[in-house]
Amino acid sequence: MNQDDWKAKLALIRDSFLSTLGKTDAAAIAEFETHYLGRKGELTLLLRDLKDFPIEERKILGALGNALKTELSGALDARKTETGAGVVNLNKSQFDLTMAGYPFPKGSLHPLTVTANKMYDGFQKLGFSIAEGPLIEEDYFNFEALNFAPDHPARDMQDTFYVDLKDARGKDLLLRTHTSPVQIRTMKSQEPPLRVVSAGRVFRSEAVDASHSFAFHQMEGFYVDKNVTMADLKWTLEAFMKDLFGGQAKISFSPSFFPFVEPGAQVAVSCVFCKGSGACPVCKGTGWIELLGAGVIHPNVIKACGYDAEKWSGFAFGAGIERFAMLLYGIRDMRMLYENDLRILKQL
Ligand code: PHE
């Protein structure tokens, strides 16, 4: 085939396409399209013949062929619109519009979120309101205002993840190691009396095992008023635990140290699995499970927040939310809360 033959064929295709298009109705238009423009359609095959022409001719003829293809596709689209081809007539189609849709899986709240919400509920019943604080913290809020001496070991690189950015005081920013900075931020921005809880993620440079993670969750709570004592702390935590774990739950206090409280305590709840009878792997036979750190807020912290420490006193506590989730759901390994294996999440 020479150039002229090819051009003649192209012209023939154009003529026959355009002269029959107007007579093609909606039902026949798909077949019409295949006949000319389909994979083995007339125009497609003619364009394929171009491979036998020398490169210079191929360029010119190819441009002509492509221009025609554009022209014909445009005309075809116009005809489709005109005839209503491609519009499904639902009344005549085989779709049953009354048929129910397919069920699709719906998401649910993560067990840690559910646990935090339950804890929030418990404290809200006791008159606490909710506050939030940033995950990237300043040394001042995470340590200094909480009465950590400048050389306190908890500031060490081992425990704290530092960020390669300085705060306004020229100290490295850090990932908060506990939720206690929310105490400082709230006290500095609000007037006492205050009763506040705050849940969120905290970070410590620790190896992951069944009961540790480098990122976990805490709920902080604190109460500042006149004449707040350890007795208020004990009453509040006991009321909270009984609400959450049932009326038989008991709590026990043992002495502990945190720079921002004095006295400080470690608080345990009677084992919810063996009801304190011992012979239980979860509480290791002690009948008690340690749940949180707590204490009476140190006067230095009260002063650092600009309050008169003679007038105001308070208690604070910090609880690991994972610990509570493990007790509520009977989970032995904390990692199950992070792997997000649907087979496990669906059971919780
Ligand atoms: N912030 C402490 C911790 O992370 C817990 C705590 C909070 C202890 C409040 C006492 C009072 O370990």
Side-chain angles (χ1 to χ4, degrees):
M1 187 161 36
N2 65 30
Q3 271 199 64
D4 291 334
D5 293 341
W6 194 90
K7 283 185 192 164
K9 279 193 173 181
L10 193 70
L12 276 178
I13 290 175
R14 183 175 186 274
D15 287 347
S16 85
F17 185 103
L18 292 177
S19 61
T20 35
L21 180 64
K23 293 175 218 136
T24 310
D25 62 14
I29 207 141
E31 200 186 316
F32 178 89
E33 182 170 8
T34 312
H35 179 83
Y36 289 99
L37 303 173
R39 222 158 33 85
K40 288 188 181 143
E42 285 190 25
L43 182 59
T44 316
L45 292 179
L46 188 66
L47 285 169
R48 209 168 289 163
D49 287 340
L50 285 174
K51 67 180 186 311
D52 302 325
F53 286 91
I55 179 79
E56 284 312 316
E57 291 180 15
R58 205 190 305 159
K59 274 189 193 163
I60 298 162
L61 299 178
L64 288 175
N66 283 328
L68 182 65
K69 197 171 173 183
T70 309
E71 181 193 345
L72 298 187
S73 302
L76 183 74
D77 285 346
R79 180 66 186 160
K80 280 184 186 168
T81 312
E82 197 177 296
T83 58
V87 176
V88 181
N89 184 340
L90 292 176
N91 290 328
K92 285 196 198 147
S93 80
Q94 69 271 51
F95 292 122
D96 178 358
L97 294 179
T98 64
M99 219 160 85
Y102 288 106
F104 55 90
K106 58 179 190 318
S108 57
L109 294 176
H110 192 276
L112 283 172
T113 308
V114 176
T115 304
N117 288 345
K118 282 187 182 179
M119 293 169 73
Y120 270 149
D121 284 351
F123 284 112
Q124 279 182 310
K125 284 184 212 169
L126 297 171
F128 284 73
S129 50
I130 295 175
E132 278 188 81
L135 304 186
I136 297 177
E137 243 326 341
E138 298 177 23
D139 180 279
Y140 176 81
F141 293 105
N142 196 81
F143 292 130
E144 193 178 323
L146 286 161
N147 200 32
F148 278 83
D151 54 356
H152 193 283
R155 293 172 172 238
D156 206 302
M157 291 293 286
Q158 287 171 356
D159 298 315
T160 309
F161 287 116
Y162 286 93
V163 179
D164 201 7
L165 284 172
K166 304 254 183 251
D167 63 29
R169 294 177 179 85
K171 296 266 176 86
D172 284 336
L173 286 168
L174 48 87
L175 301 186
R176 67 178 183 186
T177 59
H178 51 179
T179 41
S180 299
V182 183
Q183 284 183 44
I184 307 298
R185 288 185 174 274
T186 312
M187 282 199 254
K188 277 186 169 282
S189 61
Q190 293 179 41
E191 291 298 317
L194 285 174
R195 226 178 284 167
V196 172
V197 272
S198 180
R201 191 171 290 205
V202 300
F203 307 86
R204 287 185 200 172
S205 178
E206 281 181 1
V208 178
D209 66 21
S211 53
H212 293 90
S213 170
F214 54 86
F216 56 103
H217 300 79
Q218 283 191 335
M219 183 172 288
E220 192 81 9
F222 66 98
Y223 173 38
V224 180
D225 206 335
K226 287 173 188 151
N227 304 316
V228 178
T229 69
M230 202 77 172
D232 297 295
L233 171 64
K234 187 155 185 277
W235 184 90
T236 304
L237 290 180
E238 197 158 69
F240 168 74
M241 299 288 186
K242 283 189 193 300
D243 183 48
L244 193 66
F245 294 119
Q248 23 8 349
K250 292 195 196 67
I251 56 169
S252 94
F253 277 61
S254 40
S256 188
F257 175 78
F258 301 95
F260 38 94
V261 287
E262 181 57 39
Q266 191 66 44
V267 182
V269 66
S270 49
C271 179
V272 295
F273 297 104
C274 67
K275 308 275 179 266
S277 71
C280 163
V282 182
C283 65
K284 301 194 182 71
T286 62
W288 296 98
I289 297 173
E290 290 197 339
L291 275 184
L292 46 93
V296 172
I297 300 176
H298 198 291
N300 288 351
V301 176
I302 302 272
K303 281 183 222 155
C305 295
Y307 296 178
D308 180 350
E310 297 295 325
K311 189 170 165 195
W312 302 103
S313 57
F315 68 66
F317 56 86
I321 296 176
E322 278 79 354
R323 265 279 165 111
F324 278 83
M326 289 164 85
L327 292 181
L328 289 173
Y329 292 105
I331 303 171
R332 305 269 159 97
D333 190 325
M334 195 165 146
R335 286 169 288 196
M336 287 186 176
L337 291 168
Y338 304 131
E339 283 161 357
N340 291 330
D341 184 332
L342 286 179
R343 289 169 301 181
I344 288 171
L345 293 184
K346 279 180 180 164
Q347 294 174 47
L348 299 179

